[in-house]
Amino acid sequence: MRQIRNDLESHLMAARRDARLLISPLGEYYEDLLALDAWINARSKANQANSLLCSKLQEREGRIKERIEYLAKKRGIDSEELQLQILKGEAQRLTPDDLPDSLE
């Protein structure tokens, strides 16, 4: 358990040093809203977008953890193991053939 947590923390630290995240274009309307919101808050658009994304993720954190727990149980592993697999890029999507006979 401690090793999984240490691996997760190491991966997160490395991820913070990685290159910037690229997102799809927002579209004209949302690009304008972001520009307005950034100006109102005296931030660059990049900083405001970062702040908004972090805020939304904090809002959804509990739901994300619930979904990870469900998906881990479906795979017969604990949620920390699935989180580690996802963060390492090793998690696999299940097919109907991969499902167990019952979900206890």
Side-chain angles (χ1 to χ4, degrees), residues 38 60 76 95 99 103:
R60 295 182 62 182
T95 65
L99 295 175
L103 297 174

Side-chain angles (χ1 to χ4, degrees), residues 50-67:
N50 176 285
S51 176
L52 293 168
L53 179 58
C54 290
S55 176
K56 189 62 176 181
L57 288 170
Q58 286 175 348
E59 181 183 306
R60 295 182 62 182
E61 185 175 4
R63 180 71 178 122
I64 291 167
K65 287 181 178 181
E66 288 173 5
R67 293 171 75 185

Side-chain angles (χ1 to χ4, degrees), residues 60-102:
R60 295 182 62 182
E61 185 175 4
R63 180 71 178 122
I64 291 167
K65 287 181 178 181
E66 288 173 5
R67 293 171 75 185
I68 292 296
E69 287 174 17
Y70 167 82
L71 294 170
K73 182 178 178 183
K74 191 174 174 182
R75 287 162 172 75
I77 60 177
D78 66 31
S79 60
E80 289 183 350
E81 177 63 27
L82 180 56
Q83 287 179 34
L84 188 59
Q85 287 179 12
I86 292 168
L87 294 173
K88 285 182 167 183
E90 297 171 355
Q92 300 293 318
R93 303 269 180 208
L94 294 182
T95 65
D97 293 336
D98 297 327
L99 295 175
D101 292 331
S102 68

Side-chain angles (χ1 to χ4, degrees), residues 11-75:
H11 181 77
L12 291 174
M13 294 294 285
R16 289 185 191 115
R17 293 187 297 262
D18 287 351
R20 294 176 185 230
L21 176 69
L22 297 177
I23 61 170
S24 300
L26 298 175
E28 183 179 355
Y29 178 76
Y30 290 109
E31 183 74 32
D32 290 350
L33 281 179
L34 179 59
L36 295 169
D37 195 34
W39 186 87
I40 290 167
N41 290 289
R43 294 180 177 159
S44 69
K45 288 190 325 184
N47 285 343
Q48 187 62 14
N50 176 285
S51 176
L52 293 168
L53 179 58
C54 290
S55 176
K56 189 62 176 181
L57 288 170
Q58 286 175 348
E59 181 183 306
R60 295 182 62 182
E61 185 175 4
R63 180 71 178 122
I64 291 167
K65 287 181 178 181
E66 288 173 5
R67 293 171 75 185
I68 292 296
E69 287 174 17
Y70 167 82
L71 294 170
K73 182 178 178 183
K74 191 174 174 182
R75 287 162 172 75

